């Protein structure tokens, strides 16, 4: 499914984000930046060991050994990936505290702002927080697509791809996008 927003493209597709050829792909990382399971593990495996090396360097130099806060984003090179860059962001763990939608929106927004700041014009996102972090996907899809749509309405960016890992996830995001663009 594809839609045009203010001269930008927003596309939903199923697939493996490590194969995306956009300028950047987004990693649903954990705050340590040291890798993990799910999409994080897949990105590190596909990018090769240089990625972990750069992540460790960022942890040390930029973050002074602290964790990357939830909702924030940092950029590394893509190494052996087809994408030139990886933007690492930390999604919220779902615990129904009320703070999750704002934090999840910040993940998408800070990633898009970082990409724009680096003059990139295409980016692929996975469905942040809806795996191990347990965010209900219907709710996450609404936040993700609302945030991306608003950003595209206000900027000349290029192309944003949501790369969903299953047909079920794709269906949920398609329904959510129809709602978001019909308002
Ligand atoms: P989180 O910890 O943010 O929940 P996960 O990696 O557990 O992150 O899951 C986030 C989403 O990424 C899930 O929907 C999962 O199915 C999906 N995913 C896992 N591997 C890939 C991949 N290679 N490409 C795209 N999406 C993926």
């Amino acid at each position: 499914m594809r839609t045009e927003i203010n001269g930008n493209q927003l596309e939903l597709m199923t697939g493996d984000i490590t194969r995306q050829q956009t300028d950047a792909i987004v990693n649903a990382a954990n705050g340590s930046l040291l890798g993990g399971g799910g999409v994080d593990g897949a990105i590190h495996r596909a990018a090769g060991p240089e990625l972990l090396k750069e992540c460790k360097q960022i942890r040390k130099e930029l973050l002074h050994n602290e964790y990357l806060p939830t909702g924030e984003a940092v950029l590394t090179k893509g190494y052996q990936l087809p994408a030139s860059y990886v933007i690492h962001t930390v999604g919220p763990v779902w615990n129904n505290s009320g703070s999750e939608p704002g934090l999840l929106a910040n993940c998408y927004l800070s990633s898009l702002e970082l990409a724009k700041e680096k003059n990139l014009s295409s980016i692929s996102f996975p469905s942040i927080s809806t795996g191990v972090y347990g965010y209900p996907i219907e709710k996450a899809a609404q936040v993700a697509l609302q945030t991306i749509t608003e950003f595209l309405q206000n900027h000349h960016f290029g192309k944003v791809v949501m790369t969903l890992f299953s047909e079920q996830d794709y269906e949920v995001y398609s329904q959510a996008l129809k709602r978001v663009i019909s308002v």
Side-chain angles (χ1 to χ4, degrees), residues 15-17 28 38-39 42 127-133 163 165 169:
D16 177 349
I17 200 165
V39 70
S127 177
I128 299 168
S129 283
T130 65
V132 173
Y133 281 5
T163 310
F165 207 42
D169 290 1

Side-chain angles (χ1 to χ4, degrees), residues 111-168:
S111 299
L112 289 163
E113 283 171 345
L114 191 50
K116 172 99 183 136
E117 194 182 305
K118 301 285 176 188
N119 288 317
L120 309 184
S121 61
S122 58
I123 186 169
S124 301
F125 285 99
S127 177
I128 299 168
S129 283
T130 65
V132 173
Y133 281 5
Y135 205 123
I137 189 162
E138 287 80 8
K139 290 184 168 63
Q142 171 74 26
V143 171
L145 295 169
Q146 185 73 47
T147 308
I148 294 168
T149 301
E150 266 176 39
F151 180 86
L152 294 179
Q153 278 161 349
N154 294 310
H155 297 87
H156 288 293
F157 178 72
K159 183 166 134 183
V160 178
V161 184
M162 280 296 320
T163 310
L164 290 324
F165 207 42
S166 69
E167 288 294 336
Q168 290 98 304

